[in-house]
Amino acid sequence: MDLFFKYLQYEKRYSPHTLTSYHTDLGQFAEYLKEVYQLTDPAEADHAIIRSWILSLVQKHLEARSINRKIACLRSYYKFLLAQQRISVNPMLRIRPPKASKKLPGFVLEEPFNNLLDSFTFEDNFEGHRDKLILEFLYGTGMRLSELLGIEHPDIDLHARTVRVLGKGNKERIIPINDSLYFSLETYLAAKKTLNADNNSQKLLVTTKARPLYPKFVYRVVKKYIGMITTSEHSSPHVLRHSFATHLLNKGADLNAIKDLLGHASLAATQVYTHNSIDKLKSIFEKAHPKA
């Protein structure tokens, strides 16, 4: 298993989040084999045993998306064992994943959120400027939380008004910085200079003790401010990424351009946002079509 995870990390370049999930999935599978079949080596599991584990997950009412991720983990694992000649037959060949219902990404409404950014009085101190910058970055660029936390000072080009981010699979992309984000960034950088100058961290976003921010911190910030404009349960950093894409599409942006901005590997991943825009299309149709 150690060799497998090193292979995923260094050769396949899987994200830390995916590696953590696969560690959990493979660990749960190993526990099941030991408890139910008294097997200590997953390489000894056959098609029937693997299928029984998947059925047990279905009976526990686990979401299809979660089950499919575990199946993807096992596919990668047994494909690796086959390449390493640890097994002669891949037991995953006839395993079929359950069909997952399409879950549309949640998003915040354009007008209330922009009113929050433009009209709300954030505290005139380092914390206030940092909180606003977090919101501006997530909504203004559509980047992922991990990408936001990974930004370092050399990644920012104020002259060109761009930011360089490292996405999934260590793929680098350049995202333009809009005017609102640019001014928030300038204000934040000025406030950051008042912090502990002895800290050598190159990370852009830091705490008041000049230490790099962490995921839960950003979650709390986003939840705090989104809670001011909606009672919806959609209040995670990823919701602002969804909002970025949905609002761009509503304004007529090209789907391929949105794909590149989001850092999606294929257009299929971006097309989910077209479903969120159907209400906008209906509204245009009702106003414009003579038979509407």
Side-chain angles (χ1 to χ4, degrees), residues 142-185:
M143 65 176 60
R144 302 175 179 93
L145 173 59
S146 59
E147 294 169 347
L148 175 70
L149 296 177
I151 296 175
E152 299 186 345
H153 284 278
D155 297 324
I156 303 289
D157 188 334
L158 288 175
H159 178 72
R161 295 200 177 196
T162 59
V163 55
R164 180 178 64 232
V165 297
L166 198 62
K168 288 186 176 180
N170 285 339
K171 291 181 180 177
E172 188 180 281
R173 70 184 188 280
I174 304 296
I175 307 176
I177 292 174
N178 62 43
D179 288 345
S180 183
L181 174 53
Y182 177 82
F183 292 122
S184 292
L185 187 54

Side-chain angles (χ1 to χ4, degrees), residues 2-21:
D2 288 341
L3 285 176
F4 171 61
F5 285 112
K6 286 179 181 177
Y7 162 74
L8 294 183
Q9 182 177 2
Y10 298 111
E11 292 191 39
K12 300 295 287 184
R13 293 187 175 184
Y14 279 19
S15 69
H17 177 75
T18 302
L19 289 173
T20 300
S21 298

Side-chain angles (χ1 to χ4, degrees), residues 124-235:
D124 188 19
N125 55 25
F126 171 77
E127 292 96 320
H129 299 316
R130 181 197 55 211
D131 289 358
K132 185 176 184 184
L133 184 63
I134 288 172
L135 299 176
E136 290 276 13
F137 252 123
L138 292 170
Y139 178 66
T141 66
M143 65 176 60
R144 302 175 179 93
L145 173 59
S146 59
E147 294 169 347
L148 175 70
L149 296 177
I151 296 175
E152 299 186 345
H153 284 278
D155 297 324
I156 303 289
D157 188 334
L158 288 175
H159 178 72
R161 295 200 177 196
T162 59
V163 55
R164 180 178 64 232
V165 297
L166 198 62
K168 288 186 176 180
N170 285 339
K171 291 181 180 177
E172 188 180 281
R173 70 184 188 280
I174 304 296
I175 307 176
I177 292 174
N178 62 43
D179 288 345
S180 183
L181 174 53
Y182 177 82
F183 292 122
S184 292
L185 187 54
E186 276 197 323
T187 306
Y188 168 79
L189 290 173
K192 188 181 179 185
K193 290 179 181 178
T194 65
L195 297 182
N196 181 7
D198 294 331
N199 189 282
N200 295 320
S201 174
Q202 282 291 302
K203 296 296 183 185
L204 175 69
L205 293 169
V206 296
T207 66
T208 53
K209 295 182 179 180
R211 293 171 182 164
L213 289 192
Y214 45 93
K216 282 188 178 180
F217 189 102
V218 178
Y219 266 93
R220 288 199 298 266
V221 170
V222 172
K223 186 174 182 179
K224 172 185 174 181
Y225 291 101
I226 289 185
M228 295 179 180
I229 61 171
T230 179
T231 56
S232 171
E233 61 182 13
H234 302 304
S235 59

